[in-house]
């Protein structure tokens, strides 16, 4: 097949200014002359993926460009190679140390040639730069040196087009300037550790290539905090690029910026071509497929919200304020989202049932699935985006009269690991699970999650449930002829019982004791705790029969294994996070799918060879 290259496009790209959107968003047919991996090699697996430089030809001239990292798989899978013919759909033009940097953001592979087309030559940089219009001066605003927080703003001259893409930042670069929008800004926090006390805050910067988190401490934080505002655009330079601490950040970048004493920040009023916030929405129904403690973006209708309440943290013993929002969307699900601190106090809906877009909220498993705002999360009411307008139209036309279901903690078929749900592909026998759990360090505070399948062999009938407050679920005590909840500070006419179970399970490798709460008891007995306690108080024989019927039933379990100390004995405690009755159709489908894998085919082949006719 003969390909017609876009002759002359390399010259146009080389001489273009960064604001020529029609050129950079247009489509061009080019040929790849070479591919080269760039950047230092390292054994540190936490560093980001490789970067590739490509040489592109239009048949007359050739120029160099960088591939965006999302296109790396084209090279890894050997689809993109030397002499490939590509259809470049989107480019980005930036300046790095006064040199033009072309980044290929999107392309399609049309075919493969055996040799280069034409006799392309390199563009004479000096000639082309001479014909390029001189860049305009930027719209100047105040610049400051945060090493002296009280210093007056100092002006400086920064070429308008001389900035670096966020996607290209790495610890190997020292002289860079980014032009980015602040999409999130945390509160100015006070901290205390063995090294002393201090202040810090963080912001998220975003440009058209990606986003990155930046953090400032102490005097620098005090100087920068009032200057940086959400939604505004800034030039940022002379910060230190480090590996990102993923424990404290949900930003999709392997690096982060530390704003130290030499950092420079300058507001820019030239805000074109910079996105406000990039979302990657999931529906409320899809939350069940996400791992616990992961983060996600959602857009939903505010159905209702609670008043501000106070709780006391178990770990810090500090009082925190919270407010709960009930959200719904077109998937037919509702979910509870919790606001904390100042966000909880200051929250006020713009209108009745507004559309709210959330970025970077944390997924929890309370009541099946729940959401919570964290320091890096953002919340925008009625954003001017297509998803918001579509959701508004649906709710006003039919959604307001719909009924919604919540995520059930004990139902459904879940996938994933790390606490997201039962994962059939990661099922472990009890013995293997026990051996792995015993290797948990004594200093480890976080639980380890396992998926297993076992049969209930015995349920302890003593203390199978406790009297609970219907509001807070805490244990209540009988006080004369009534019941008293100390947490809610109120008197109740009677308790609502909740399960607190201890039961033995077994499989072909051994036996273990599991602990479970209300959802587990509902699944095992098929009755509420109130009904079971009523049977226990009324008829011991019927109660013992109920315990016996609960045995010899198999379930799929998601377990939370954690070290626990009891009577000076260090042990592993297995708590049930999910219990799923066996769905035999799903189990058969899983076995059939397993037989289609290479492992399954090898087993069938081996068994067929060993079969005696």
């Amino acid at each position: 097949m003969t390909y017609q290259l876009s002759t002359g496009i390399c010259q146009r790209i080389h001489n273009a200014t960064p604001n020529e959107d029609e050129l950079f968003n247009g489509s061009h047919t080019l040929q790849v002359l070479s591919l080269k991996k760039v950047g230092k090699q390292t054994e540190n697996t936490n560093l980001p993926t490789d970067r590739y430089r490509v040489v592109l030809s239009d048949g007359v001239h050739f120029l160099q460009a960088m591939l965006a990292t999302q296109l790396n798989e084209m090279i890894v899978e050997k689809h993109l190679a030397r002499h490939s013919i590509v259809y470049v759909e989107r480019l980005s033009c930036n300046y790095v140390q006064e040199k033009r940097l072309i980044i290929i953001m999107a392309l399609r592979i049309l075919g493969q040639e055996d040799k280069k087309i034409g006799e392309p030559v390199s563009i004479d940089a000096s000639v082309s730069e001479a014909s390029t219009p001189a860049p305009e001066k930027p719209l100047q605003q105040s610049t400051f040196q945060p090493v002296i927080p009280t210093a007056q703003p100092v002006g400086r001259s920064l070429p308008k087009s001389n900035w670096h893409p966020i996607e290209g930042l790495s610890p190997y670069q020292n002289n860079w300037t980014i032009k980015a929008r602040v999409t999130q800004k945390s509160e100015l926090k006070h901290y205390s550790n063995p090294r002393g006390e201090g202040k810090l805050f963080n912001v998220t910067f975003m440009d058209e290539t990606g986003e990155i988190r930046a953090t400032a401490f102490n005097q620098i934080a005090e100087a920068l905090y009032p200057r940086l505002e959400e939604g505004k655009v800034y030039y940022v330079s002379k910060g230190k690029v480090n590996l990102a601490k993923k424990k404290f950040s949900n930003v999709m970048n392997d690096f982060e910026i530390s704003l130290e004493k030499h950092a420079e920040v300058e507001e820019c009023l030239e805000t074109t071509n910079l996105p406000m916030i990039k979302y990657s929405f999931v529906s409320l129904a899809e939350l069940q497929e996400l791992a616990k403690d992961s983060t996600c973006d959602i857009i939903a209708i505010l159905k209702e919200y609670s008043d501000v309440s106070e709780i006391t943290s178990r770990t810090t013993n500090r009082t925190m304020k919270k407010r709960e929002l009930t959200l719904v969307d077109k998937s037919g699900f509702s979910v509870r989202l919790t606001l904390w601190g100042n966000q909880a106090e200051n929250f006020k809906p713009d209108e009745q049932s507004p559309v709210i877009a959330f970025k970077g909220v944390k997924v929890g498993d309370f009541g099946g699935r729940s959401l919570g705002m964290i320091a890096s999360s953002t919340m925008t009411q009625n954003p001017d985006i297509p998803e918001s307008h579509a959701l508004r139209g649906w709710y006003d036309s039919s959604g307001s009269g719909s009924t919604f279901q919540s995520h059930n903690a004990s139902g459904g078929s879940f996938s994933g690991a790390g606490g997201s749900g039962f994962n059939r592909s990661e099922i472990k026998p009890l013995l293997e699970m026990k051996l792995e759990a015993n290797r948990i360090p004594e200093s480890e505070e976080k639980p380890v999650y396992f998926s297993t399948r076992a049969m209930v062999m015995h349920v302890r009938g003593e203390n199978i449930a406790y009297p609970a407050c219907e509001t807070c679920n805490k244990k209540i005590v009988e006080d004369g002829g009534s019941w008293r909840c100390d947490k809610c500070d109120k008197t109740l006419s009677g308790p609502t019982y909740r399960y607190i179970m201890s039961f033995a399970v077994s499989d072909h490798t051994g036996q273990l004791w599991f602990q479970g709460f209300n959802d587990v008891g509902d699944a095992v007995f098929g009755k509420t705790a109130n009904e079971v306690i009523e049977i226990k108080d009324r008829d011991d024989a019927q109660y013992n029969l109920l315990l016996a019927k609960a045995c010899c039933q198999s379930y799929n379990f998601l377990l939370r294994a954690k070290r626990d100390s009891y009577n000076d004995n260090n042990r592993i405690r297995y708590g049930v996070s999910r219990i799923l009755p066996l769905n035999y159709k799903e189990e058969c489908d899983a076995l059939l799918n397993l037989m289609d894998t290479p492992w399954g085919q090898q087993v069938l082949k081996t068994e067929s060879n060993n079969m005696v006719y």
Side-chain angles (χ1 to χ4, degrees), residues 498-510:
R498 292 179 64 84
Y499 287 108
I500 179 170
M501 295 179 58
S502 180
F503 57 103
V505 299
S506 178
D507 68 2
H508 64 287
T509 66

Side-chain angles (χ1 to χ4, degrees), residues 222-248:
E222 291 178 340
L224 290 176
Y225 190 79
R227 308 258 183 179
L228 292 170
E229 299 181 27
E230 288 187 1
K232 289 190 175 182
V233 177
Y234 298 86
Y235 292 112
V236 183
S237 62
K238 298 185 180 179
K240 184 177 180 181
V241 180
N242 303 308
L243 284 173
K245 297 181 177 68
K246 294 295 186 180
K247 178 181 179 181
F248 305 108

Side-chain angles (χ1 to χ4, degrees), residues 44 92 112 115 231 270 309 345 360 412 419 437 462 497 509 557:
N44 190 337
S92 174
Q112 184 68 37
K115 59 182 180 179
E270 180 64 39
S309 60
E345 291 186 275
E462 309 85 10
Y497 282 93
T509 66
F557 295 96

Side-chain angles (χ1 to χ4, degrees), residues 453-478:
R453 180 179 297 129
M455 178 179 289
V456 176
M457 303 303 295
H458 176 71
V459 180
R460 282 182 179 158
E462 309 85 10
N463 301 322
I464 198 169
Y466 70 95
C469 172
E470 61 183 8
T471 302
C472 66
N473 294 333
K474 296 295 184 181
K475 186 176 181 179
I476 59 177
V477 294
E478 193 169 9

Side-chain angles (χ1 to χ4, degrees), residues 165-177:
I166 286 178
E167 185 186 50
L169 290 178
S170 77
Y172 310 124
Q173 297 160 329
N174 296 319
N175 299 319
W176 51 263
T177 299

Side-chain angles (χ1 to χ4, degrees), residues 263-501:
E264 295 184 0
V265 178
E266 172 188 345
E267 185 181 350
C268 171
L269 298 182
E270 180 64 39
T271 63
T272 57
N273 299 328
L274 285 179
M276 292 296 293
I277 299 181
K278 292 181 181 178
Y279 293 101
S280 181
F281 292 122
V282 298
S283 69
L284 299 185
E286 294 173 311
L287 293 178
Q288 198 68 72
E289 307 301 325
L290 301 182
K292 179 180 179 293
D293 295 332
S294 64
T295 56
C296 65
D297 303 344
I298 66 165
I299 185 168
I301 294 286
L302 175 63
K303 186 75 172 176
E304 58 187 42
Y305 61 98
S306 69
D307 294 330
V308 176
S309 60
E310 291 187 352
I311 64 170
T312 302
S313 171
R314 295 179 181 177
T315 55
T316 63
N317 205 33
R318 292 171 55 189
T319 300
M320 299 184 295
K321 295 184 178 181
K322 73 169 189 175
R323 186 196 297 268
E324 294 180 347
L325 314 182
T326 300
L327 307 173
V328 299
D329 70 0
K330 290 192 288 187
S331 68
F333 275 80
S334 69
V335 71
R336 187 179 64 189
L337 183 143
T338 304
L339 304 179
W340 299 96
N342 291 337
Q343 279 188 326
E345 291 186 275
N346 300 330
F347 175 78
K348 184 179 180 180
D350 292 343
E351 60 185 20
Q352 185 176 3
S353 302
V355 177
I356 307 181
F358 296 89
K359 182 172 180 62
V361 290
K362 187 176 182 180
V363 179
D365 62 355
F366 184 81
R369 274 297 178 267
S370 59
L371 298 170
M373 294 284 284
I374 56 178
S376 56
S377 305
T378 62
M379 173 177 60
T380 306
Q381 296 192 42
N382 298 317
D384 187 14
I385 56 177
E387 294 89 345
S388 175
H389 302 317
L391 195 59
R392 177 83 274 160
W394 162 78
Y395 189 77
D396 291 343
S397 62
S398 61
S400 58
S402 302
T403 57
F404 301 92
Q405 59 177 316
S406 59
H407 292 283
N408 190 340
S410 61
S413 177
F414 311 124
S415 62
S420 65
F422 172 77
N423 192 333
R424 186 176 283 104
S425 64
E426 296 183 1
I427 285 180
K428 295 182 184 296
L430 295 182
L431 179 59
E432 181 181 347
M433 187 178 69
K434 181 179 179 180
L435 293 175
E436 288 193 25
N438 286 337
R439 293 196 292 268
I440 299 175
E442 293 187 9
S443 60
E444 180 60 55
E445 296 183 356
K446 290 187 177 181
V448 177
Y449 291 86
F450 296 100
S451 294
T452 191
R453 180 179 297 129
M455 178 179 289
V456 176
M457 303 303 295
H458 176 71
V459 180
R460 282 182 179 158
E462 309 85 10
N463 301 322
I464 198 169
Y466 70 95
C469 172
E470 61 183 8
T471 302
C472 66
N473 294 333
K474 296 295 184 181
K475 186 176 181 179
I476 59 177
V477 294
E478 193 169 9
D479 183 12
S482 60
W483 294 80
R484 178 73 181 169
C485 176
D486 292 332
K487 185 177 187 302
C488 297
D489 192 23
K490 64 181 181 181
T491 301
L492 306 172
S493 59
T496 298
Y497 282 93
R498 292 179 64 84
Y499 287 108
I500 179 170
M501 295 179 58

